[in-house]
Amino acid sequence: MTGLTRGSVRPNQWLRNLNAKIASIPMILTALVIFVGGTAWTVVYSFTNSKLLPRLKFVGLDQYERLWEAPRWIISIQNLAVFGFFSLIFSLVIGFVLAALMDQKIRFENTFRTIMLYPFALSFIVTGLVWQWLLNPQYGIQSIVRSLGWESFSFDPLYDSDIVIYGILIAALWQGTGLVMCLMLAGLRGIDEDIWKAARVDGIPMWKTYVLIIIPMMRGVIITTLVIIASGIVKVYDLVVAQTSGGPGIASEVPAKYVYDYMFLAQNLGQGFAASTMMLLTVAIIIVPWAYLEFGGGRKRG
């Protein structure tokens, strides 16, 4: 038997799940018009001298030359690099350690998990304002420690232009580490229990089990987590505005704030579009390798 009755016709692949495909057409059109169209519009107008209103008067690469000659943009890129580097490392390490501890079937796990994830439910503005208060030398952590007797204690990162970005980093880690922990915990819970038993039978130390066996098996979860963290780093804005508004001076400027200020305050759309395009390029550099690893060559090798 061939499994098909005589005269039967195999359905066309394009006609399978036809209702679902028809229902997805509005969303596809929305994505094409709003996201793809908006992106193309931004890139095109980044080559113009648009000011208050967009106008198609091309000036070549002039906006990009001005962008990379602007000290404020250079500082924002440096801040983003420092913020991104430490945010990636500490978010992954702290999140994984917390997930590993949570995976030990501790008591009140649901309570602890909720507490760890709660900061992520807050808006970045609220988080920024809370940590602005905590890091204020007059009535924050510094004031509390000094009231306990350590008069020489100093902790005011938001008021020191050399370390202000680290004060913003503290608030970002407090808010985002809980989400990383939950993602890592989901990956750990997906590991077959037999693997743990086999490692214990073979006498493999716990830390070697994690480093040599568990972490490589969590490759997909780790890559996805990295993309989520990295995309949040590129567009960081709310925390900076709430905590420092870019200060002291321009010491805590970031690209997203640069874009907003030039587009809506300085009324220089061309410069804002150029900065937006550079941010778009950064996001593409992050997303393309992830898409390849997840859906391209990496998936085929697995």
Side-chain angles (χ1 to χ4, degrees):
M1 293 180 64
T2 61
L4 293 173
T5 59
R6 181 175 298 180
S8 63
V9 179
R10 185 183 297 273
N12 191 315
Q13 183 177 1
W14 291 99
L15 297 179
R16 294 178 181 176
N17 301 321
L18 184 60
N19 291 336
K21 292 177 180 178
I22 293 175
S24 66
I25 289 177
M27 193 61 214
I28 294 174
L29 292 177
T30 300
L32 288 175
V33 173
I34 296 179
F35 294 106
V36 178
T39 299
W41 191 84
T42 299
V43 173
V44 169
Y45 277 89
S46 70
F47 296 100
T48 69
N49 66 343
S50 301
K51 296 296 182 181
L52 176 60
L53 296 174
R55 56 178 179 174
L56 275 174
K57 185 178 180 180
F58 291 99
V59 292
L61 297 174
D62 285 1
Q63 295 289 3
Y64 292 94
E65 292 176 0
R66 295 193 190 100
L67 181 68
W68 288 102
E69 290 173 356
R72 184 177 175 184
W73 174 255
I74 300 300
I75 290 175
S76 70
I77 293 297
Q78 292 172 347
N79 286 336
L80 187 66
V82 173
F83 179 85
F85 177 77
F86 288 106
S87 183
L88 278 174
I89 292 178
F90 285 117
S91 293
L92 279 177
V93 172
I94 297 173
F96 184 83
V97 170
L98 290 175
L101 293 174
M102 202 75 68
D103 194 41
Q104 305 305 310
K105 308 298 189 295
I106 62 175
R107 295 181 63 185
F108 307 112
E109 177 189 329
N110 291 337
T111 301
F112 285 118
R113 191 167 62 234
T114 301
I115 293 173
M116 295 292 182
L117 190 59
Y118 176 75
F120 187 74
L122 301 176
S123 71
F124 285 105
I125 293 293
V126 172
T127 298
L129 292 175
V130 167
W131 279 96
Q132 182 193 55
W133 178 83
L134 288 173
L135 298 178
N136 189 298
Q138 295 182 354
Y139 42 79
I141 296 174
Q142 176 177 298
S143 176
I144 294 173
V145 174
R146 287 186 176 184
S147 67
L148 297 175
W150 285 276
E151 294 293 338
S152 62
F153 179 79
S154 179
F155 188 65
D156 56 348
L158 298 185
Y159 298 85
D160 187 337
S161 59
D162 293 329
I163 60 173
V164 61
I165 196 65
Y166 299 102
I168 297 171
L169 175 65
I170 293 172
L173 290 175
W174 179 78
Q175 181 165 30
T177 303
L179 174 65
V180 177
M181 181 205 71
C182 289
L183 293 172
M184 293 295 176
L185 183 60
L188 288 171
R189 293 287 165 84
I191 302 296
D192 195 334
E193 188 66 29
D194 292 337
I195 294 175
W196 294 102
K197 293 179 180 178
R200 285 193 291 267
V201 170
D202 292 340
I204 302 175
M206 181 68 74
W207 69 270
K208 280 191 175 181
T209 303
Y210 276 108
V211 173
L212 300 178
I213 301 174
I214 303 303
I215 292 179
M217 293 182 67
M218 294 175 59
R219 168 183 164 275
V221 174
I222 293 174
I223 291 175
T224 301
T225 303
L226 281 172
V227 171
I228 292 173
I229 298 172
S231 60
I233 289 170
V234 172
K235 63 183 182 181
V236 62
Y237 172 80
D238 313 61
L239 280 177
V240 176
V241 172
Q243 287 187 272
T244 66
S245 294
I250 57 173
S252 59
E253 283 288 330
V254 289
K257 187 174 181 299
Y258 184 95
V259 171
Y260 179 87
D261 287 351
Y262 268 85
M263 292 185 69
F264 300 104
L265 300 181
Q267 298 179 354
N268 190 338
L269 291 180
Q271 185 70 183
F273 289 146
S276 299
T277 303
M278 297 309 302
M279 292 181 63
L280 172 65
L281 182 61
T282 305
V283 173
I285 292 173
I286 296 170
I287 296 296
V288 170
W290 167 77
Y292 175 77
L293 289 172
E294 285 295 296
F295 308 108
R299 178 67 57 90
K300 291 178 182 177
R301 286 193 299 269

